[in-house]
Amino acid sequence: MPTEPDNLTSLNVDLLRIDHVGIAVSDLDEALKFYADTFGMHCVHEETNEDQGVREAMLAVGDGTGPRLQLLAPLRPDSAIAKFLDRSGPGLQQLAYTVADVEATTAALKARGLRVLYDTPRRGTAGSRINFVHPKDAGGVLVELVEPA
Ligand code: V0V
């Protein structure tokens, strides 16, 4: 006989797909040139997000239907990306999943005991709504949840 799910894990996390992989860089223009010249990747979206303290670019890979590569450069020294660069240097900073309902997914993850960084979602790329799981609760990976606009 199947066991009844308990209240903590009966909420579905519902990750839909990998949305993007985020890479911290110190200079966005230099990084864009490197990815174009080396890997032939082109920028499909660029914006500044004051709230997150980043200038960012989304790059398409291959036929452009799959997950994006996100280049993240700091706007100011107290931003998350500046701190990451100071501590670790340039490199993989986050893994982002697309979700249909960021509040529902964060509630489900909180019910599993994970720390979610924001009480309410914030503005992400292209008007998306985003939240993050603390890397210490996700195997050393900063996990971003993205509900597209
Ligand atoms: C810190 N740690 C990480 C990490 N950042 N581990 C893996 N990946 C990362 N990215 C580790 C760090 O080495 C420490 O380990 C520990 O976590 C606690 O460090 P902390 O001193 O609290 O670190 P902080 O102050 O740098 O804060 C880390 C968090 C911060 C994750 C809380 O980066 C944050 O708020 N991130 C969310 C916002 C963000 O990343 N925005 C930029 C992307 P030890 O030394 O204790 O072992 S903006 C974006 O993605 C947008 C706009 C979008 O996609 O739409």
Side-chain angles (χ1 to χ4, degrees), residues 20 49 52 54 56 70 72 80-81 83-84 87 93-94 117-118 123-125 128 130 132 134-136 140-142 144:
H20 63 265
N49 185 324
Q52 291 292 330
V54 294
E56 61 143 304
Q70 181 186 45
L72 294 154
I81 296 300
K83 284 188 195 164
F84 183 90
R87 186 191 289 120
Q93 190 256 352
Q94 56 164 270
L117 295 185
Y118 307 140
R123 188 192 174 284
T125 310
S128 58
I130 61 171
F132 293 87
H134 197 285
K136 290 292 172 191
V141 177
L142 175 62
E144 181 181 351

